[in-house]
Amino acid sequence: MTGAPMARPGPYEPLADGFAADWWRGAAIYQVYIRSFRDANGDGIGDLGGVLAGLDHIADLGVDAVWLSPFYKSPQKDFGYDISDFRLVDPTAGSMEDFMRLRDAVHDRGMKLLLDFIPCHTSDEHPWFAESREGHDTPKADWYVWADRARDGSPPNNWLSSFGGPAWTWEPRRSQYYYHPFLASQPALNLHNPAVLDQLIAEMSYWSDLGVDGFRIDAVQCLSWDRDLRSNPPVGREGSNALIGGGPTNPFAAQLHYFDRAAEGTRAILERFRAFADANDIVLIGELADIDTSQAAAEFTEQGRALHAVYDFGLINCHPEVDSITAQLERRERLLGNGWFFNVFTNHDTIRAVSNLTHFAGAELREAAAKMLLFTQMTLKGGCILYQGDELGLPHPHLDYDQIVDPWAKAFWPTFEGRDGARTPFPWNDRQKNCGFSKATPWLPVMAEHARLCVRRQCDDPGSVLSFTRDFLAWRRTEPVLRLGEERMAGGERAPIISWTRAYKGEERRIVVNFSEDDAFMPVSDRWRMLTAPGCTTRREGHGIALGPLAFAILAPGS
């Protein structure tokens, strides 16, 4: 891609026969941010042993798979997303034996195991980069993205790091600049080089041989780059469909990222990854951001030719009000073709969903808002990824500047508070020190507002967000239409109602959500009957459905 969609053979075809056998299509995946989940070795940082200790909580939710954040060897400048060895476990996360025990335990509980994989860059402490920076004649000289300076000594083009400042850093040993889409300590790998692509596939193969079931691929929009190093054009008066994070003052949002994101060569890289995945019976789910993701998702997930699915930030970064959310849902449905989404409302990089998408809801409605968001996430077309704490309805906390550790936040403070609020320790038990996360001082503070929502308090409360999550996921398993069905947004509903229909093998389900703290009413014909499902309203009046604040319902054809 160079400012236009990736070329494809022709119009999208419908889903191939047999797609119902794809376990991942309607899967519910639980994302574990290891550093903040549970600390087993007493150093204040979550680890693999802590995931094992908390695994029954995850399994009891009824999810299909667990995705682990990076635990590879790393200097931790970006908390594991700066890898210095893909095949070693970082000491802060434990040992290889810890991983093997966790792998077995996940599989013993009937779940799949996905690992985070970061193919776009490494740490500047990786031996590959140490060799590459030494000169132009080393075997790995072109394993990273190097460029000569401009005539005036400045970087070769106007590309920016999404974390702030130019995306180029001068390396005196080569007398060249190297490219980094994120931190300067994360130099970009050159995936135009077949040897680099071969090596990355070998790194994935190492873990697939150990029995993992797939990978979440980090920042797939950064797999490639324009080899002519053309500067990006500015965003014009027409605006941009790319929804950019980093707060309102991030200069990265002022460019149309035609040449540093989803650029030439992306198609070939995706096809190579897919061939590896098919040969090894693993699943690849990509994180997609920084571009028009609704348009790009189809091309990144075209059936059988690219990744199996992507998740994007469209519903996280769009304006958090009902008209914008509805428009985003309608646009992605129109563009997706036979591609596949995982629905994500928050993750370790963003504001927690209750405080973002339902910011309008008062404290007394936080629990209802959390349930409504989970319901929406689990009934839209595609799979869903639940970030740790979603099942508790955790709000997003505020941290003071002296509490934050996120380099992205430090770069854009105070207009952007960064990622630490979503990464504070998981609250297990408010009767234990640090809510049961660790006996030592945690790497980020435990939040008082989270203690009141801990697992201990919610696990036996039938009305809690945790109980709703368990109950609805169990009910959803009995509804193939919600896991595999096509989707049609209603289009004609008036705010604050959002409604869509799912259809599969002659079955239909109509989903209705009141995305507000006011009462709402939706006219419904006698063709539709109310279904009894966890958390759903069944209140019907003569001409339609009465929905209380943040209420939701499911209907089926029939009287």
Side-chain angles (χ1 to χ4, degrees):
M1 296 174 66
T2 53
M6 289 184 290
R8 60 179 190 266
Y12 284 114
E13 301 171 355
L15 288 171
D17 292 339
F19 73 89
D22 297 333
W23 71 264
W24 47 271
R25 284 209 179 265
I29 298 175
Y30 190 86
Q31 180 195 353
V32 176
Y33 188 71
I34 296 174
R35 290 181 66 90
S36 299
F37 190 65
R38 200 163 192 168
D39 171 24
N41 64 9
D43 64 356
I45 300 172
D47 45 44
L48 293 167
V51 181
L52 180 59
L55 192 60
D56 283 338
H57 166 75
I58 299 173
D60 288 346
L61 293 174
V63 297
D64 302 281
V66 180
W67 151 29
L68 300 178
S69 63
F71 54 82
Y72 316 105
K73 185 180 179 183
S74 166
Q76 302 295 322
K77 293 178 183 176
D78 193 24
F79 304 106
Y81 285 88
D82 50 326
I83 296 170
S84 56
D85 194 310
F86 285 91
R87 303 191 188 193
L88 295 180
V89 176
D90 192 82
T92 60
S95 66
M96 182 59 79
E97 179 59 29
D98 292 329
F99 166 76
M100 302 293 271
R101 286 200 299 267
L102 178 58
R103 175 206 62 187
D104 292 345
V106 169
H107 289 156
D108 288 347
R109 287 160 176 77
M111 297 183 291
K112 307 288 187 180
L113 180 62
L114 307 181
L115 303 189
D116 226 320
F117 190 74
I118 298 87
C120 306
H121 56 257
T122 69
S123 165
D124 60 355
E125 297 183 23
H126 199 294
W128 302 343
F129 187 70
E131 180 178 328
S132 188
R133 77 193 319 174
E134 286 302 319
H136 299 261
D137 299 323
T138 68
K140 292 184 174 58
D142 59 350
W143 276 43
Y144 292 82
V145 183
W146 297 98
D148 294 331
R149 63 190 180 186
R151 290 181 62 187
D152 63 359
S154 62
N157 59 32
N158 71 347
W159 296 353
L160 296 172
S161 163
S162 61
F163 281 13
W168 298 94
T169 291
W170 182 251
E171 172 49 63
R173 278 163 282 201
R174 280 184 63 129
S175 190
Q176 282 186 310
Y177 284 96
Y178 67 87
Y179 171 54
H180 51 88
F182 303 104
L183 296 177
S185 58
Q186 295 170 306
L189 285 161
N190 176 15
L191 273 69
H192 287 299
N193 183 340
V196 176
L197 197 52
D198 288 345
Q199 186 63 53
L200 287 171
I201 289 173
E203 304 304 318
M204 283 195 284
S205 182
Y206 174 81
W207 292 100
S208 67
D209 289 347
L210 289 176
V212 306
D213 302 292
F215 298 92
R216 174 267 192 185
I217 307 295
D218 183 63
V220 294
Q221 73 278 1
C222 295
L223 290 171
S224 192
W225 49 280
D226 177 54
R227 283 181 282 192
D228 290 329
L229 299 180
R230 287 170 284 184
S231 287
N232 289 320
V235 173
R237 284 176 294 178
E238 74 280 2
S240 170
N241 286 319
L243 301 170
I244 305 296
T249 64
N250 188 352
F252 188 81
Q255 295 183 358
L256 296 171
H257 292 276
Y258 289 163
F259 302 118
D260 61 336
R261 297 293 190 271
E264 60 162 316
T266 300
R267 163 66 67 178
I269 295 167
L270 293 176
E271 290 179 347
R272 184 73 192 283
F273 280 179
R274 182 56 181 261
F276 163 75
D278 288 346
N280 290 273
D281 193 25
I282 61 170
V283 171
L284 302 178
I285 300 169
E287 176 202 35
L288 186 60
D290 295 345
I291 56 176
D292 182 351
T293 56
S294 292
Q295 177 177 322
E299 297 154 326
F300 274 84
T301 64
E302 189 176 357
Q303 188 177 21
R305 299 186 176 98
L307 304 175
H308 294 84
V310 293
Y311 76 84
D312 73 341
F313 289 71
L315 293 170
I316 294 171
N317 289 337
C318 75
H319 188 66
E321 51 87 24
V322 65
D323 288 336
S324 294
I325 292 169
T326 301
Q328 185 73 12
L329 290 171
E330 290 174 346
R331 187 168 188 271
R332 74 171 200 171
E333 176 201 305
R334 185 170 68 252
L335 295 172
L336 186 57
N338 66 19
W340 203 260
F341 261 121
F342 271 80
N343 299 300
V344 177
F345 288 178
T346 191
N347 60 29
H348 64 292
D349 289 333
T350 68
I351 300 173
R352 285 195 174 273
V354 170
S355 300
N356 180 24
L357 297 178
T358 53
H359 63 95
F360 54 82
E364 72 281 2
L365 290 174
R366 180 206 52 79
E367 184 177 278
K371 292 177 182 178
M372 182 273 288
L373 291 172
L374 286 163
F375 170 83
T376 301
Q377 192 177 358
M378 291 188 280
T379 54
L380 287 167
K381 178 182 176 179
C384 62
I385 300 177
L386 306 180
Y387 178 55
Q388 62 187 50
D390 286 353
E391 77 275 25
L392 304 178
L394 298 185
H396 196 82
H398 168 75
L399 278 72
D400 294 329
Y401 184 80
D402 60 0
Q403 294 176 302
I404 67 171
V405 296
D406 179 14
W408 198 12
K410 291 180 182 292
F412 290 112
W413 187 273
T415 60
F416 177 59
E417 294 188 7
R419 302 170 290 180
D420 291 329
R423 300 177 177 188
T424 56
F426 188 85
W428 292 95
N429 189 332
D430 58 335
R431 293 177 177 173
Q432 296 177 351
K433 184 177 181 179
N434 296 318
C435 264
F437 168 72
S438 176
K439 295 180 180 179
T441 301
W443 73 290
L444 283 173
V446 175
M447 309 312 295
E449 61 263 48
H450 289 176
R452 298 188 292 271
L453 301 171
C454 68
V455 173
R456 184 195 70 82
R457 288 196 179 193
Q458 294 199 39
C459 63
D460 295 324
D461 176 2
S464 69
V465 178
L466 176 56
S467 292
F468 168 76
T469 305
R470 292 169 174 167
D471 293 344
F472 195 83
L473 278 172
W475 183 84
R476 182 176 177 268
R477 283 184 177 275
T478 69
E479 289 279 309
V481 66
L482 294 183
R483 293 172 65 92
L484 300 169
E486 288 301 310
E487 176 184 279
R488 295 189 300 275
M489 297 300 298
E493 309 298 350
R494 296 182 62 184
I497 297 290
I498 305 177
S499 180
W500 59 96
T501 301
R502 303 292 305 279
Y504 178 67
K505 289 188 174 181
E507 289 286 329
E508 283 185 287
R509 299 290 181 266
R510 190 168 182 183
I511 315 299
V512 184
V513 172
N514 176 9
F515 212 93
S516 79
E517 57 182 346
D518 300 315
D519 289 332
F521 181 85
M522 189 180 85
V524 174
S525 73
D526 292 340
R527 173 177 179 258
W528 296 97
R529 61 184 173 84
M530 308 287 287
L531 283 185
T532 300
C536 292
T537 185
T538 56
R539 180 183 166 196
R540 176 148 189 170
E541 299 183 358
H543 295 88
I545 305 170
L547 293 166
L550 300 160
F552 44 87
I554 300 180
L555 297 84
S559 56

